[in-house]
Amino acid sequence: MSAADLRRLIVTDTRRPDPAAVERLRAYGVATVHEAMGRTGSLGPDLRPIQQGTTIAGAAVTALCWPGDNLMIHAAVEQCGPGDVLVVAAAAPSTHGMFGELFATALAHRGVVGVVSDTGVRDTADLRAMGFPAWSRYVSAQGTVKATAGHVNLPVVIAGQVIEPGDVVVADDDGVAVVPLDRVEQTVTASQARLEKEAATREAFQRGELGLDRYGLRPLLESLGVEYRTHAELQDTDGRP
């Protein structure tokens, strides 16, 4: 199949992750999952939530659109099901408000848990009121057309990160991370280990232990030539710092 053919393809079935593993990743949150994967999977600091205090996780249904054209979002809605996250990418940068309340209404009916868009969203007050979570690069009232073919449920790229259909998307106030489907179980295990390690560190900090000592950072400071001096030792002969 040629590249041109792939640009006009809708894949109607994809692999799906274990729902129990998805729920555990949701509970861990973006920062823990990102760290557990070796500081990978983040979609960057520019994809921001339109709401606060919401965490979602679900299988990615991907849609590639053309700038200012949301035709393939309409096509992607049909492929979405309970527990999915719609992931919208653009063939080139687009600030248009490609997604709004009507799309959210259709997706909520199908049990979709949220949308992540590398373009713009609008109707943000309505989305918050109906409780439909959204993360986007832009918020924009600019309208769109429906004229250009793209693809659904094929790999897309956002912020240099490849998202395959069926990958687990985790999103919260810190941003968005993507867990490849074949790394879900490994990431669950690593996230739990990190959570337990952080709990032990939190208890140590509550007892007054310093990060410099718990993480063994004093030798590093010394090796980097960092010295400790009192304010008095920094005074010159005129009494000036």
Side-chain angles (χ1 to χ4, degrees):
M1 184 173 289
S2 70
D5 291 331
L6 285 174
R7 196 184 74 183
R8 298 186 295 269
L9 189 64
I10 297 172
V11 180
T12 60
D13 60 331
T14 63
R15 296 186 299 160
R16 287 290 194 275
D18 174 29
V22 172
E23 175 55 27
R24 292 189 67 182
L25 291 172
R26 187 201 66 78
Y28 293 131
V30 170
T32 295
V33 167
H34 163 67
E35 293 280 359
M37 288 195 295
R39 300 190 185 97
T40 62
S42 170
L43 298 191
D46 296 327
L47 287 184
R48 304 302 305 146
I50 66 163
Q51 65 285 310
Q52 293 291 304
T54 298
T55 304
I56 66 167
V61 172
T62 61
L64 180 70
C65 299
W66 289 84
D69 190 318
N70 66 3
L71 174 63
M72 300 314 293
I73 298 179
H74 285 277
V77 170
E78 184 181 21
Q79 305 309 317
C80 291
D84 288 341
V85 176
L86 177 61
V87 178
V88 179
S94 176
T95 62
H96 295 71
M98 306 264 278
F99 183 96
E101 177 264 334
L102 293 178
F103 274 136
T105 299
L107 290 174
H109 174 74
R110 304 179 78 85
V112 174
V113 298
V115 64
V116 171
S117 178
D118 199 30
T119 66
V121 301
R122 61 184 187 177
D123 304 331
T124 55
D126 293 327
L127 294 177
R128 286 190 292 271
M130 66 186 292
F132 191 87
W135 286 255
S136 67
R137 189 169 299 275
Y138 308 103
V139 172
S140 172
Q142 178 66 46
T144 58
V145 299
K146 300 161 182 60
T148 311
H151 60 63
V152 173
N153 275 337
L154 288 172
V156 296
V157 179
I158 297 177
Q161 177 75 38
V162 177
I163 301 105
E164 301 265 1
D167 287 349
V168 177
V169 177
V170 185
D172 61 20
D173 289 350
D174 291 335
V176 184
V178 175
V179 182
L181 186 55
D182 60 3
R183 293 186 61 188
V184 167
E185 293 300 331
Q186 171 190 344
T187 303
V188 167
T189 300
S191 295
Q192 181 61 33
R194 181 171 180 83
L195 207 65
E196 293 170 1
K197 180 180 178 181
E198 288 181 345
T201 299
R202 186 177 302 106
E203 291 179 1
F205 286 172
Q206 289 170 343
R207 295 192 304 267
E209 186 175 353
L210 295 174
L212 285 174
D213 299 313
R214 186 165 186 82
Y215 300 136
L217 299 176
R218 294 189 190 278
L220 175 60
L221 289 177
E222 183 178 358
S223 72
L224 294 173
V226 177
E227 300 180 357
Y228 287 82
R229 292 289 185 268
T230 67
H231 182 72
E233 290 172 326
L234 296 179
Q235 305 300 302
D236 64 19
T237 56
D238 296 325
R240 294 174 299 180

